């Protein structure tokens, strides 16, 4: 009997990062059929629900999935009553208002007084944005690619997601305002907080957070003679303090600490100059706080 369901995107830019994140957590899918909607995993009684990214907030709100991974833009668009539990480190993007590059328009104020049509799949977000800015426009709701709509004459400009702006430029468009910033998030509903599986879900969330905390960090071990211990420790970063233990039958210590991967070259140089030797550097999967 399945007691825990996690909804993730079945396609699009968030699919692969979401799958990789769950694999890093330790939840591995046991099937790879792109047509499958429900996939068992390496965690007992846990399965993945593969659905459209934009449908995940509503699925989680309805309790059909305990947790979900989706973009906060889709949460806002759906107006779903869900809780953002963990901000993830992928899926960063912007929802922008973009106009043809040929227009003599540089910001939103240049659009005041114009009759414009805006093509977008973000109908609710766009409507709220227009109300906030005090602009009048016809919203053309679409479900496919927005960039081509001005070229087809179906709209004058668009509100759409962008990461680098390359696709906009290829279609002769330029962004003139940021409607909202977006990123991927783990979401949940009240069911898991009150249900019989709340303890299990909270454990999963703890491991997810630990996986994120462990990214970009390395564990460093080294041996240090007693006379050089203080100078080595002073040159080390630590989450709280370096861990040290006496090496049996010697006048030396084993020193262990955790550091950001980007800082490793500088740290190794410092501790080696201060007398550390036998330095070992290991990957970290998770840091549970």
């Amino acid at each position: 009997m399945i007691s825990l369901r996690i909804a993730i995107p079945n396609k699009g830019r968030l699919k692969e990062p979401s799958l990789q994140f769950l694999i890093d957590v330790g939840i591995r899918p046991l099937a790879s059929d792109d047509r499958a909607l429900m996939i068992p995993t390496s965690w007992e009684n846990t399965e993945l629900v593969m659905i459209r990214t934009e449908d995940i907030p509503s699925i989680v709100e309805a309790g059909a999935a305990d947790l979900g991974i989706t973009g906060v833009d889709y949460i806002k668009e759906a107006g779903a009553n869900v809780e953002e539990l963990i901000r993830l480190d992928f899926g960063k993007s912007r929802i922008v208002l973009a106009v043809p590059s040929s227009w003599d328009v540089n910001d939103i104020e240049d659009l005041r007084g114009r009759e414009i049509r805006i093509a977008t799949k973000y109908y609710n977000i766009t409507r709220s944005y227009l109300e906030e800015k005090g602009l009048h426009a016809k919203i053309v709701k679409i479900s496919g690619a927005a960039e081509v709509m001005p070229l087809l004459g179906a709209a004058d400009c668009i509100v759409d997601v962008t990461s680098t702006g390359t696709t906009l430029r290829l279609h002769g468009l330029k962004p003139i305002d940021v409607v909202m910033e977006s990123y991927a998030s783990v979401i949940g509903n009240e069911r898991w907080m009150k249900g019989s599986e709340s303890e299990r879900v909270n454990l999963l969330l703890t491991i997810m957070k630990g996986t994120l905390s462990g990214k970009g960090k390395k564990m460093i071990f080294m041996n240090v003679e007693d006379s050089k211990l203080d100078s080595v420790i002073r040159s080390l970063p630590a989450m709280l303090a370096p861990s040290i233990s006496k090496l049996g039958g010697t006048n030396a210590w084993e020193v262990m600490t955790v550091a950001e991967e980007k800082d490793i070259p500088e740290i190794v140089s410092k501790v080696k100059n201060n007398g550390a030797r036998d330095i070992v550097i290991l990957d970290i999967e998770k840091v549970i706080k």
Side-chain angles (χ1 to χ4, degrees):
M1 177 179 178
I2 297 299
S3 57
L4 182 61
R5 289 194 173 105
I6 306 169
I8 68 170
N10 62 353
K11 60 182 179 179
R13 61 190 177 87
L14 295 183
K15 177 184 176 181
E16 293 305 323
S18 297
L19 277 171
Q20 187 58 55
F21 172 66
L22 290 177
I23 290 171
D24 292 342
V25 167
I27 301 176
R28 296 180 176 274
L30 299 181
S32 59
D33 190 342
D34 289 339
R35 297 167 299 177
L37 300 179
M38 315 284 271
I39 299 178
T41 73
S42 56
W43 274 35
E44 186 179 3
N45 296 330
T46 299
E47 69 179 2
L48 304 182
V49 182
M50 309 293 293
I51 55 177
R52 296 196 314 164
T53 314
E54 54 266 43
D55 292 336
I56 291 175
S58 298
I59 292 295
V60 172
E61 179 184 32
D66 301 278
L67 299 173
I69 298 177
T70 189
V72 296
D73 50 337
Y74 291 114
I75 300 171
K76 183 174 180 180
E77 176 64 20
N81 182 23
V82 296
E83 184 178 353
E84 291 183 46
L85 302 171
I86 304 175
R87 176 170 177 163
L88 298 173
D89 59 352
F90 58 85
K92 296 181 179 66
S93 61
R94 298 174 299 151
I95 310 299
V96 300
L97 171 62
V99 303
S101 300
S102 58
W103 282 18
D104 184 21
V105 170
N106 296 309
D107 59 48
I108 192 171
E109 294 303 318
D110 294 333
L111 293 179
R112 295 197 182 279
R114 292 195 182 199
E115 291 292 329
I116 57 173
R117 298 166 298 161
I118 301 176
T120 186
K121 62 183 177 182
Y122 297 106
Y123 180 88
N124 293 323
I125 290 174
T126 302
R127 183 181 60 184
S128 297
Y129 169 77
L130 293 173
E131 290 174 355
E132 178 186 337
K133 297 295 183 179
L135 291 177
H136 298 283
K138 179 181 178 181
I139 302 176
V140 180
K141 183 171 174 54
I142 59 171
S143 58
E147 296 89 350
V148 73
M149 294 300 150
L151 293 174
L152 294 176
D156 303 303
C157 47
I158 69 171
V159 167
D160 203 20
V161 65
T162 183
S163 297
T164 65
T166 301
T167 303
L168 294 177
R169 289 192 294 272
L170 286 173
H171 289 83
L173 298 169
K174 62 180 180 182
I176 62 168
D177 197 22
V178 176
V179 177
M180 69 171 288
E181 303 281 348
S182 187
Y183 51 86
S185 178
V186 177
I187 61 174
N189 66 4
E190 292 184 355
R191 175 173 173 266
W192 72 261
M193 291 184 284
K194 298 178 179 178
S196 59
E197 292 299 316
S198 60
E199 183 176 346
R200 189 166 179 233
V201 175
N202 273 307
L203 174 60
L204 173 55
L205 292 174
T206 297
I207 297 175
M208 285 180 168
K209 292 174 183 176
T211 301
L212 290 174
S213 296
K215 286 188 176 182
K217 290 185 174 64
K218 298 287 186 179
M219 184 171 289
I220 311 173
F221 296 86
M222 65 198 75
N223 293 333
V224 184
E225 292 180 9
D226 188 75
S227 62
K228 299 173 181 177
L229 183 61
D230 287 343
S231 59
V232 168
I233 289 178
R234 283 196 299 269
S235 64
L236 282 175
M239 297 178 68
L240 184 58
S243 175
I244 62 173
S245 57
K246 188 75 172 179
L247 294 175
T250 69
N251 192 30
W253 300 79
E254 181 187 59
V255 178
M256 183 273 288
T257 192
V258 174
E260 296 289 340
E261 183 175 18
K262 62 181 177 61
D263 298 329
I264 293 297
E266 181 182 357
I267 292 169
V268 169
S269 176
K270 285 182 177 180
V271 298
K272 195 169 177 58
N273 289 337
N274 286 331
R277 59 187 176 86
D278 306 327
I279 301 170
V280 177
I281 301 170
L282 301 177
D283 290 334
I284 294 177
E285 284 192 4
K286 299 172 181 66
V287 177
I288 308 297
K289 298 181 179 180

